[in-house]
Structure formats: C-alpha cells, structure tokens
C-alpha cells in the first residue's frame, strides 16, 4: 500500500474497532453476571412476597381447606396468583411464574402463564429445571407449618434475551458511530500529515540546481529525521557536483598544456628543414603524448574508484605484483628500483587491480620526483608495506595537502598532474588500508607506507 494516510487510517480504524469489540465483550460478560445476580435477587424477593401472602391467609388457604373435605366434593382448582406476582413492562410481561404446591403433590395455586408441571424439587433454594423443553431458573420456599412449597421462577431464555438486548444496545451506537469515527480519523490524519505534504511541495517546486537545505522550522518531531536526511543528501549531492566541476576544470586545464605542446611541436616538425630539428620535435610530441596518456589513465582510475566498482578478492603475492608493476612503469636509467626478496612469500587476500593501482601510483610519484637514485620496496612489521625514494622530499607545510586532487606542490615536476597520491590514497581506502606520507629521517626523500592491519600477511610460495 503506497499511501501512508490510507495505511494509518486502516490501522487506526481496525485498532479502534477491535478495542470497541473487546469492550463490548467485556461489558457483556460483566453485565450478564451482574444481571443474573439482580434477577436471582428479584426471584428470591418475589418468592418471599408470595410466601408472606400465604402466611397472612391468602385465599389459597381456603383452597387447601376445601381440599381436605370428603372426596365426594369436586376437586379444588388451582387459584390464579397473577395479582400477587409483579409483571415486567416493555416486552418482558409475565416473566416471573409462581406455583404453590402442597406436600402431598397437589398444585394449590399458580400465576397465569405458569406451567402445570412441577417447576422445582422439594428442596429449598435456587435450582435450574427443564420443563416443556424450556430451562427455568426457580427459587423454592418450603413452609412446614402450612404444608406448602412456594415456587417462583423465570425462563432462562428471557434472561438471555435481556442480555442480548443489552449488548445490542451497546453495539448499535458503535456501528452507527463507526462511519463518523472513520471520517474523523481520515480528517485528523490529513491535518497531521499536512507538514509532510508542505515539505514535499517545497521540494517539488525547486529547480534542479537548487540544493539549499529545507528549513526545519515548524516541522513535527516525527519528520525532523527525514528533513535532516534530505538536507544531508542535498549537501552530498552539492559536494559531488562541485567535485565533478573541479575535476572537469582541472582536467581541461591539464590537458590543454600537452595538447598545445603537441600542436606546436607538430607545426615545428612540418616547418623544419633540418633532420635534427624535426627529430627533436617528434620526440617532444612523444613526451606530450605520454603525459596526456598518463593523465587520462589517472582520471579514468579516479572515476573508477569514485564509482565504487565491485572488487575481486583473491590471494595475491605482494612481491610478484610489485615486480610486474615496476616492469610496466617507465623510468630513466638513472633510477633503480630495489624490491626486498622477503616480500615474495608474502600473500594477502586483496583485489589485485586496486592494489596494482595503489602501487603503480606510488611508484610513478617516486619516479617523477627523482632524476637519479634508488626506490626501495620492503615490508615492515605485520601488514605494513613501505616504499622509499631518494628525491628532494616534500616541504613540511605541504605534507597534509599532497593527497588532495590536482594539488601540485613546489617540488612537483612539470610532468606531474597532482593526481598520483590522491589516487593512491583512494585505492588504499578501497582496500581497507591506511596510507601515510612522510619525509625520510635518514636522508632526503619521501617515505610512503601502506598499513593493511596487523596479522595481514601469510607466508606462501611466490606466485609467478
């Protein structure tokens, strides 16, 4: 269900209806118990009232005396006690029925509507009896002095009907009020969700370039987290767009120089009449092409890291990977790369492409800042890979800036684009490692260390 308002409406309506039904059931059970107690009390009081009439000399006594005459007289008919037993108005008339029995089993008197069969046994008190297919609740008073039993009872069916009418009286308003309650809940939900609708309208009315935060003033506490999350998303999108604009501008600026050089050298080569001048121009064209190729490759690598492409983790021999990488990176003959043999048996589960990207940019950064000297790769401690060069080093005030994209310090050569250490840092973070850049303490040069975490290496035979 896509509508939050409709979902809340159905939940609230169902919960309200369920609570109402439970309340009606609870009231029904409580009312039945209380009603039965009240009706039993009334039954008992009615029996005592009839018995008091018998004790005061009700005409029933005359009927009893007539019954004691010789058998030649006609039998005594039961007297009508309709006036002695109160009736119930409003559809419950003649709910109570009364009988007066002699100890010898003769029916001396009964109320109108009372059955001719015996309603109760000889014992005194309450009892349930089934007479003529109906269940009766009766109360009996035994009078040994008068030799009579007074029995007053009412039908259980009438009691059940009274309870049903009571429950219907409670349920009817609920059923009638449910549509009104539904309309009230729907209207209340509309009022409660109005701030959310206003926020949605504000966002929908914005232009695509508008990334200003949504003002949280007056917003309910429930949608404050949503507004905060949206404002955070706007900030991230704006930062990503600003970064994209910066990358585009820096890339255009960096590519403009080698392209202009290519055009110039091509024009020189075309116009040169001497073979030496032409060959020199062609060599400069190759240098510009190499520089442009490296810059494009770095930009593509940076884009791949930013996109978060899936990694393919497998066992990688650190020493073998460094050897292959060094062989692929061009460097002048005056620059020598030394790889510690202890790195050959070191194996770690990593993404080889991302690791190669990290190592290549560290190697290229060292080569670009050296005219001659040695680059050393070695392991240090548990899970730390170190590369040291013999270049001029990095000024202390620039150490915190060299990993920024397109940052070119004072010591950067003309061939550098300011992306190498930024790519290396992004690749290290992608591998879950930490890249540290510092100047060497034993001599001029830069020391770059990649910490993969303790316990990271495992010894194995070199993978070739």
């Amino acid at each position: 269900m896509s509508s939050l308002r409709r979902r809340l409406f159905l939940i609230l309506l169902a919960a309200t209806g369920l609570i109402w039904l439970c309340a009606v059931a609870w009231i029904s059970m409580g009312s039945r118990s209380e009603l039965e107690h009240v009706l039993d009390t009334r039954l008992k009081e009615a029996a005592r009232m009839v018995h008091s009439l018998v004790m005061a000399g009700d005409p029933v006594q005359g009927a009893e005396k007539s019954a004691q005459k010789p058998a030649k007289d006609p039998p005594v008919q039961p007297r009508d006690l309709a006036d002695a037993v109160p009736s119930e108005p409003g559809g419950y008339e003649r709910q109570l029925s009364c009988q007066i029995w002699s100890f010898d089993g003769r029916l001396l008197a009964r109320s109108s509507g009372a059955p001719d069969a015996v309603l109760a046994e000889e014992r005194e008190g309450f009892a349930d009896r089934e007479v003529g297919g109906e269940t009766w609740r009766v109360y009996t008073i035994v009078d040994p002095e008068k030799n009579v039993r007074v029995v007053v009872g009412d039908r259980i069916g009438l009691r059940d009907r009274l309870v049903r009418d009571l429950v219907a009286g409670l349920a009817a308003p609920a059923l009638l009020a449910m549509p009104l309650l539904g309309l009230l809940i729907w209207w209340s939900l509309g009022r409660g969700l109005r701030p959310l609708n206003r926020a949605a309208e504000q966002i929908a009315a914005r232009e695509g370039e508008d990334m200003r935060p949504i003002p949280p003033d007056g917003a309910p506490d429930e949608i404050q987290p949503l507004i905060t999350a949206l404002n955070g998303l706007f900030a991230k999108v704006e930062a990503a767009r600003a970064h994209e604009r910066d990358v585009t501008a820096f890339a255009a600026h960096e590519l403009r120089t080698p392209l202009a050089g290519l055009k110039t050298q091509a024009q020189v080569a075309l116009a040169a009449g001497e073979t030496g001048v032409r060959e020199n121009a062609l060599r400069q064209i190759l240098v510009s092409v190499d520089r442009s190729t490296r810059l494009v490759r770095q930009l593509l690598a940076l884009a791949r890291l930013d996109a978060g492409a899936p990694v393919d983790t497998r066992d990688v021999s650190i020493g073998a990977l460094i050897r292959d990488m060094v062989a692929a990176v061009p460097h002048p003959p005056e620059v020598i790369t030394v790889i510690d043999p202890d790195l050959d048996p070191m194996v770690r589960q990593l993404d080889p492409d991302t690791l190669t990207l990290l190592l290549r940019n560290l190697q290229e950064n060292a080569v670009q800042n050296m005219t001659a000297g040695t680059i050393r790769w070695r392991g240090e401690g548990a899970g730390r890979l170190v590369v040291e060069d013999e270049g001029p080093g990095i000024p202390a005030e620039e150490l915190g800036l060299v990993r920024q994209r397109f940052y070119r310090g004072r010591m950067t050569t003309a061939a550098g684009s300011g992306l190498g250490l930024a790519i290396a840092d992004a690749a290290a973070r992608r591998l879950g490692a930490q890249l540290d850049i510092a100047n060497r303490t034993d001599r001029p040069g830069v020391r770059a260390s990649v910490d993969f975490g303790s316990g990271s290496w495992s010894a194995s035979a070199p993978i070739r």
Side-chain angles (χ1 to χ4, degrees):
M1 186 179 296
S2 58
S3 173
L4 178 61
R5 184 180 185 183
R6 189 180 302 115
R7 183 184 305 175
L8 291 175
F9 170 75
L10 293 178
I11 292 175
L12 290 175
L13 194 62
T16 304
L18 181 61
I19 292 175
W20 211 320
L21 288 177
C22 293
V24 169
W26 178 66
I27 293 174
S28 174
M29 291 186 293
S31 299
R32 176 181 290 274
S33 176
E34 190 67 24
L35 185 62
E36 288 180 353
H37 175 70
V38 171
L39 292 178
D40 282 349
T41 302
R42 188 190 64 165
L43 197 66
K44 188 175 181 180
E45 292 297 327
R48 289 177 177 175
M49 181 181 66
V50 174
H51 178 254
S52 65
L53 294 176
V54 173
M55 293 292 293
D58 189 82
V60 174
Q61 296 180 3
E64 183 180 8
K65 293 178 181 178
S66 299
Q68 296 175 356
K69 293 181 180 181
K72 61 182 180 179
D73 294 337
V76 177
Q77 297 297 325
R79 300 295 300 274
D80 189 2
L81 296 177
D83 296 335
V85 179
S87 62
E88 294 292 329
Y92 296 99
E93 296 88 354
R94 304 187 184 280
Q95 180 177 356
L96 297 181
S97 297
C98 178
Q99 293 178 341
I100 300 179
W101 292 86
S102 64
F103 281 4
D104 58 3
R106 289 179 298 111
L107 179 61
L108 303 179
R110 67 181 177 86
S111 62
S112 57
D116 296 331
V118 180
L119 281 177
E121 300 175 351
E122 296 181 356
R123 62 184 181 85
E124 185 171 345
F126 288 102
D128 292 334
R129 293 272 292 180
E130 186 172 347
V131 178
E134 288 185 303
T135 303
W136 290 72
R137 178 71 169 173
V138 298
Y139 184 78
T140 304
I141 296 179
V142 178
D143 188 351
E145 296 181 2
K146 297 287 187 176
N147 293 325
V148 295
R149 287 183 290 112
V150 178
V151 181
V152 179
D154 62 352
R155 296 177 179 85
I156 297 296
L158 289 177
R159 290 190 175 193
D160 293 338
R161 180 180 136 197
L162 184 60
V163 173
R164 287 196 302 270
D165 291 345
L166 177 62
V167 174
L170 293 173
L175 295 177
L176 294 176
M178 192 62 70
L180 180 61
L181 180 63
L183 291 175
L184 183 61
I185 292 176
W186 184 262
W187 178 81
S188 301
L189 288 175
R191 295 278 297 179
L193 294 176
R194 187 171 296 176
L196 186 60
N197 295 331
R198 282 200 301 267
E201 291 171 359
Q202 291 178 7
I203 297 175
R206 290 189 173 197
E207 298 293 336
E209 300 295 326
D210 189 358
M211 292 295 168
R212 293 173 301 162
I214 303 173
D217 301 336
D221 295 340
E222 288 75 12
I223 67 172
Q224 286 284 358
L226 176 61
I227 293 178
T228 303
L230 284 175
N231 289 338
L233 177 62
F234 290 160
K236 292 178 182 178
V237 171
E238 181 62 25
R241 293 175 58 186
H243 169 68
E244 181 181 353
R245 289 192 297 266
D246 293 342
V247 170
T248 303
F250 280 118
H253 174 74
E254 291 295 327
L255 285 172
R256 187 183 300 117
T257 301
L259 290 177
L262 280 171
K263 182 178 180 180
T264 301
Q265 295 300 328
Q267 292 173 344
V268 170
L270 289 174
E274 298 181 5
T275 303
V277 175
R278 185 184 304 109
E279 290 179 353
N280 182 65
L282 292 175
R283 281 194 295 270
Q284 293 300 319
I285 289 175
L286 290 177
V287 171
S288 296
V289 169
D290 290 341
R291 181 180 177 186
S292 300
T293 301
R294 180 170 179 267
L295 177 60
V296 171
R297 176 172 51 79
Q298 287 180 326
L299 289 173
L300 292 176
L302 202 58
R304 184 169 69 88
L305 290 173
D306 289 340
V311 296
D312 180 18
T313 302
R314 59 177 182 267
D315 287 339
V316 177
S317 172
I318 303 300
L321 192 64
I322 293 176
R323 295 181 190 280
D324 294 339
M325 177 272 301
V326 169
V329 174
H331 57 278
E334 295 80 10
V335 177
I336 301 173
T337 301
V338 177
I339 303 173
D340 190 346
D342 291 340
L343 290 175
D344 287 333
M346 299 303 176
V347 175
R348 177 178 169 83
Q349 280 199 343
L350 292 168
D351 176 26
D353 294 336
T354 306
L355 181 59
T356 301
L357 192 62
L358 167 63
L359 301 179
R360 182 186 182 95
N361 279 275
L362 291 178
Q363 177 74 11
E364 287 181 345
N365 182 75
V367 171
Q368 291 291 333
N369 292 283
M370 290 177 57
T371 56
T374 303
I375 301 173
R376 298 183 183 275
W377 288 88
R378 59 185 176 83
E380 185 179 275
R384 184 183 294 271
L385 183 64
V386 178
V387 55
E388 295 175 331
D389 63 43
E390 296 179 353
I394 301 173
E397 63 273 14
E398 296 181 2
L399 282 174
L401 305 174
V402 291
R403 281 181 283 192
Q404 295 181 4
R405 299 179 181 187
F406 297 103
Y407 179 80
R408 300 176 64 182
R410 298 196 307 269
M411 308 303 293
T412 305
T413 63
S417 61
L419 284 175
L421 292 180
I423 294 174
D425 184 61
R429 284 187 278 108
R430 185 75 183 279
L431 294 171
Q434 181 178 353
L435 174 64
D436 292 322
I437 306 294
N439 288 317
R440 295 178 62 174
T441 58
D442 55 339
R443 57 162 299 157
V446 175
R447 180 182 186 273
S449 64
V450 184
D451 189 359
F452 292 96
S454 36
S456 300
W457 308 116
S458 60
S460 175
I463 302 176
R464 302 190 183 276

